[in-house]
Amino acid sequence: MRVSTEFPAWAKENIEKLKDKQVLMYCTGGIRCERASALFRSLGHDRVFQLKGGIHNYLTEYAKEGGGHWIGKNYTFDKRFAHGAVEDEKKEAEAEGEIVGKCVACRKPWDKYRGRKRCPVPCGVPLLLCNECLAADVSAKCFLCQEDDEIGKKERFNKRQHYNELALKAKAAEVPVPTCKKVAVHACGVCNESFTSRNGLFKHVRATGHANRKAKKQKTTA
């Protein structure tokens, strides 16, 4: 599941797996969790809990404690892109602790969304790119799509290996079959005697005085 719009289908497919478990939901501001928890209850699952007000409210309440148990930043849908427990950028830079995000291109630690570059369709999720990779306009995909690509490469490689093994087995089991091929046969134009090479024909001409010659092709079995 990549985006929240895929959640209803996912919930219907997995509701039975979660029927004996408690479900805790949290999102940016709590709105999507309200809808998701309502969907779960409509499917018969009542043991659903959510973080009131979302991550944004949690970071606000625990700003003095450095964000409580939250590590990293919270992605937002406004010009901030992402923020931590401290709203002021200068103070946030000073208080910045562990960076849990990575640039999807160069893999260096990074947690600032810039440029709103997205993963190619059909994925379309925002990409976390560092300033250098963003300035270089690198071609990149999100980590999930990269993982899918690697799985696809492994599957294609395994298929090629399988087909190569089948081809080798088939080749080892083959029995050589005589093939029919065309060879040039040179014949004397006087006595019609045939020779497999021109040298043989020339010797015959010199020995017999037969000056006329012609070349013809016939099929022979190798």
Side-chain angles (χ1 to χ4, degrees):
M1 186 173 65
R2 306 293 177 88
V3 291
S4 59
T5 52
E6 297 175 357
F7 181 76
W10 182 91
K12 292 175 183 177
E13 290 178 2
N14 294 274
I15 193 68
E16 287 299 318
K17 299 177 183 178
L18 302 172
K19 64 180 181 180
D20 297 325
K21 298 180 180 180
Q22 290 186 356
V23 178
L24 172 62
M25 298 182 179
Y26 61 92
C27 61
T28 302
I31 297 175
R32 285 172 294 173
C33 286
E34 287 283 353
R35 296 173 180 172
S37 58
L39 174 62
F40 260 46
R41 292 188 180 94
S42 70
L43 295 174
H45 197 306
D46 295 326
R47 301 172 67 189
V48 184
F49 304 90
Q50 65 189 70
L51 186 61
K52 185 177 180 180
I55 303 167
H56 178 78
N57 186 58
Y58 180 86
L59 292 177
T60 301
E61 287 194 13
Y62 290 92
K64 293 181 179 179
E65 290 82 4
H69 296 288
W70 183 263
I71 299 175
K73 290 187 176 180
N74 178 36
Y75 177 82
T76 61
F77 299 92
D78 53 31
K79 63 181 181 180
R80 294 173 300 173
F81 297 105
H83 71 88
V86 183
E87 290 290 342
D88 185 84
E89 288 190 2
K90 291 183 179 179
K91 291 182 179 179
E92 185 175 324
E94 295 173 359
E96 197 168 66
E98 181 181 358
I99 296 178
V100 296
K102 291 182 180 180
C103 172
V104 295
C106 67
R107 301 295 199 278
K108 82 173 184 180
W110 192 259
D111 61 3
K112 297 179 178 66
Y113 281 95
R114 296 290 186 269
R116 291 190 179 276
K117 194 165 185 177
R118 292 180 175 271
C119 188
V121 292
C123 179
V125 300
L127 293 177
L128 192 58
L129 285 166
C130 68
N131 289 335
E132 290 79 6
C133 292
L134 194 61
D137 195 26
V138 297
S139 177
K141 293 182 178 181
C142 71
F143 288 124
L144 287 176
C145 285
Q146 291 180 35
E147 184 178 337
D148 288 346
D149 288 347
E150 287 300 317
I151 293 173
K153 287 179 183 178
K154 289 179 181 178
E155 289 179 350
R156 289 192 293 272
F157 175 78
N158 291 335
K159 283 184 179 180
R160 287 197 300 270
Q161 288 290 90
H162 175 66
Y163 292 142
N164 287 338
E165 289 174 2
L166 291 179
L168 290 173
K169 289 179 181 178
K171 188 175 182 180
E174 284 179 359
V175 178
V177 179
T179 57
C180 184
K181 61 181 180 179
K182 290 183 178 181
V183 296
V185 177
H186 302 274
C188 176
V190 177
C191 65
N192 207 33
E193 185 176 352
S194 298
F195 302 90
T196 57
S197 68
R198 288 189 298 175
N199 288 337
L201 176 60
F202 291 155
K203 289 179 180 179
H204 168 76
V205 170
R206 285 195 296 269
T208 61
H210 296 169
N212 190 21
R213 68 180 181 86
K214 62 180 179 179
K216 64 180 180 179
K217 289 185 177 181
Q218 69 180 32
K219 289 185 177 180
T220 61
T221 302

